[in-house]
Amino acid sequence: MTGTRWWDSAIVLGGGFAGLLSARVLSSHFRQVTIVEQDSEPGAESRPGVPQSAHPHALTTRGASQVEEFFPGLRSELLAEGCPVIDFAEGVRILFPTGWTSREPVDVDVQLMPRPLLEHAIRRRVTALDAVTVHYGLRVDRLQLDRERGVTAVVARPHKTAGAGDEETVLQADLVVDATGRGSRLPRWLAEAGFGQPATRVTGKKTTHTSRLYTVPPDSARDWCASYEPTIAPVSPRGGVLLRIGTDQWIVGMLGAADEAPPTDEEGFRAYARELRNPDFATIIEEGVPLGPIRRTRATGNRWYRYDRMRHWPTRLIALGDSICIFNPVYGQGMTVAALQAALLDTLLTRHAERGNLDRLGRAFQRGAAALVRSPWMVSTSTDRAWEDNPTLSSRMAAGLFGALTARLPHHAGLYRRFVRTMQMLDPPTSLIAPLALAQIASLPSVSRHLATCTCAEPRRNGQAPASPGRNNAPSASG
């Protein structure tokens, strides 16, 4: 991103992850970039505008690579803060219904970190840029939109929690980026200005996340940094995600799909952990000391605003990240998609600089952004639809295929590597239904029998498979 600054000013609505990445991109093309953020200036902790930040987050391998391009040295900076970098298979224990996945390396590195710390590190770098200014405590009231001229101004007022008055602030710019995320009011603003409403796709029931932060004494025998028990539609509505996000800090996240809701009281939270088949959750809770309250968020499932299909789109307006599409957060795709869309914006701005104008930038971006959504949308929704009250035949077939896949993963290293690369967005989801992958899935004798036994052997590492006390080893299968 070394482009000449061709235009005067840009405004970014929202100072979260997507907004900060957008501002980084825009700073290479605009002389002045203004971020409008409704929260007060935050530190390295959760803030009201991103309530989901209190839960486990993941930046996929592909997303981390893109963010590192924007901010060279960021990974090392976070590592110095205690955020571990691990080979996914070596450092992450996953318990599927048929057993634990292998701990053999898959050459896919991931870094575990709390989202507030990640945003704080990025915010420090972005706000240090000469071109960037941040207005904290301002809430966007509306956009001034015109069918002929597009976006003409942003109208903001002091946020009610900022303790200021109610006077309007009118900001004008050559380009406006909506990165306000899940709470974006852009559909309403577009309708009120006569642009119409975007078609909206909504899939999957709500997933409830209940999480707590703990400090846990280091244990040399604990050779892993994360543990996971996935929810699997439609038979396993309970699960959890457990991450070490610092030298001695762990975040314990309980998951409840469909009608399950992990409790927020002390005893209920502990009981939910003990009832999971994966013992790591109860162990960390018993060994740890709570660092804060138990927090709950009811995610809204998957929602995609099809701005790319609108007949009329305002000139010089961009919608990015969760303002376009919200994914079920258990798949960890949202931040990566936002990072890839920010890179797309950089590419398109460079192209339009060669033309000398911003005409049609918005429409070109929305179409390109939608293309980046399609693959992760397929992953997030193909099985989530099975949680619905009356799933379609295709949804039931997708859930059946995913069930067969997860039954095979603990027993086939090559298939597991393929699965990891897909979930880390290095390979497309179609790689899991390629002929070789389907043959690997089918090679497990009697998948249904293994699903029924649900054995819980300890994960294999370096060719060995030690058993937990009182539990059977996972059934073997030829590779």
Side-chain angles (χ1 to χ4, degrees):
M1 296 190 302
T2 58
T4 302
R5 294 176 181 173
W6 286 92
W7 297 286
D8 288 331
S9 63
I11 297 175
V12 178
L13 312 182
F17 180 82
L20 292 169
L21 266 56
S22 300
R24 169 66 186 91
V25 166
L26 295 170
S27 69
S28 296
H29 302 274
F30 291 81
R31 297 180 182 90
Q32 178 64 48
V33 179
T34 302
I35 300 174
V36 179
E37 169 54 49
Q38 69 176 20
D39 287 342
S40 301
E41 184 172 1
E45 64 277 335
S46 299
R47 59 189 179 88
V50 191
Q52 69 270 25
S53 65
H55 305 292
H57 273 70
L59 186 58
T60 69
T61 303
R62 185 181 181 190
S65 176
Q66 182 60 68
V67 172
E68 186 73 12
E69 286 188 31
F70 291 147
F71 308 102
L74 182 64
R75 169 169 285 198
S76 297
E77 181 182 330
L78 293 171
L79 183 62
E81 294 279 353
C83 301
V85 177
I86 56 175
D87 179 275
F88 186 91
E90 280 191 305
V92 182
R93 290 160 50 100
I94 304 180
L95 180 60
F96 285 109
T98 54
W100 295 92
T101 53
S102 170
R103 301 283 302 283
E104 298 293 337
V106 291
D107 299 321
V108 176
D109 287 343
V110 293
Q111 185 168 35
L112 309 179
M113 80 287 283
R115 174 164 173 167
L117 179 61
L118 173 64
E119 285 194 7
H120 182 63
I122 293 175
R123 187 178 298 108
R124 280 200 306 256
R125 296 195 178 207
V126 171
T127 55
L129 298 171
D130 292 339
V132 176
T133 301
V134 185
H135 291 323
Y136 292 108
L138 274 185
R139 183 175 187 269
V140 178
D141 186 62
R142 64 187 186 277
L143 300 181
Q144 290 183 358
L145 292 164
D146 183 274
R147 285 289 296 269
E148 298 298 327
R149 295 179 294 162
V151 179
T152 59
V154 173
V155 180
R157 297 178 184 274
H159 190 42
K160 59 183 179 182
T161 61
D166 194 41
E167 67 277 7
E168 285 188 350
T169 298
V170 180
L171 304 170
Q172 296 182 333
D174 299 304
L175 184 71
V176 174
V177 176
D178 176 20
T180 53
R182 294 171 178 265
S184 173
R185 291 175 291 160
L186 184 56
R188 193 186 81 187
W189 293 335
L190 291 171
E192 290 174 348
F195 286 89
Q197 286 269 14
T200 306
R201 299 179 65 182
V202 179
T203 301
K205 283 192 172 182
K206 294 180 179 180
T207 301
T208 302
H209 298 245
T210 305
S211 304
R212 197 176 205 181
L213 191 64
Y214 292 83
T215 179
V216 182
D219 183 350
S220 59
R222 188 179 294 124
D223 62 348
W224 48 272
C225 296
S227 193
Y228 181 35
E229 182 173 334
T231 60
I232 300 177
V235 296
S236 300
R238 292 190 175 196
V241 182
L242 173 65
L243 305 177
R244 179 167 76 81
I245 55 174
T247 303
D248 60 354
Q249 288 191 5
W250 292 74
I251 186 166
V252 179
M254 301 299 173
L255 303 174
D259 297 324
E260 292 284 350
T264 56
D265 64 285
E266 181 76 33
E267 186 50 42
F269 190 74
R270 288 173 176 266
Y272 199 92
R274 289 194 298 266
E275 291 167 6
L276 295 178
R277 295 170 53 248
N278 185 332
D280 297 336
F281 296 88
T283 298
I284 291 297
I285 291 174
E286 292 301 323
E287 294 181 2
V289 176
L291 292 179
I294 300 171
R295 300 181 183 275
R296 173 188 283 177
T297 297
R298 294 183 184 273
T300 57
N302 306 285
R303 185 179 69 215
W304 185 2
Y305 293 117
R306 299 306 306 263
Y307 293 131
D308 57 302
R309 294 182 176 178
M310 291 186 66
R311 179 173 297 180
H312 302 288
W313 183 257
T315 303
R316 303 189 179 191
L317 174 64
I318 298 292
L320 185 145
D322 282 0
S323 294
I324 299 175
C325 186
I326 299 169
F327 301 97
N328 182 340
V330 301
Y331 301 105
Q333 301 163 311
M335 290 194 295
T336 293
V337 171
L340 298 176
Q341 289 174 348
L344 170 66
L345 180 59
D346 182 50
T347 298
L348 291 178
L349 283 169
T350 299
R351 189 177 302 165
H352 280 259
E354 295 171 354
R355 300 174 182 173
N357 62 68
L358 292 170
D359 295 343
R360 301 183 181 276
L361 170 67
R363 183 171 292 281
F365 176 83
Q366 299 309 145
R367 289 174 175 171
L372 292 171
V373 165
R374 288 190 186 103
S375 286
W377 178 265
M378 180 189 303
V379 170
S380 189
T381 63
S382 59
T383 56
D384 281 2
R385 291 190 181 99
W387 292 118
E388 297 174 348
D389 295 330
N390 296 296
T392 64
L393 176 61
S394 61
S395 299
R396 294 196 299 270
M397 291 177 62
L401 177 61
F402 186 72
L405 170 66
T406 55
R408 190 69 178 101
L409 290 177
H411 314 288
H412 196 295
L415 185 62
Y416 183 54
R417 179 189 294 267
R418 188 186 294 262
F419 175 79
V420 169
R421 289 188 58 83
T422 299
M423 299 311 292
Q424 294 301 311
M425 298 181 68
L426 297 172
D427 294 337
T430 51
S431 68
L432 291 175
I433 56 175
L436 177 58
L438 293 176
Q440 291 169 340
I441 293 171
S443 66
L444 177 63
S446 184
V447 167
S448 60
R449 175 171 60 82
H450 287 280
L451 282 171
T453 57
C454 291
T455 54
C456 302
E458 283 294 292
R460 291 167 292 171
R461 184 166 184 152
N462 298 327
Q464 299 179 348
S468 294
R471 296 183 183 271
N472 297 323
N473 285 338
S476 62
S478 59

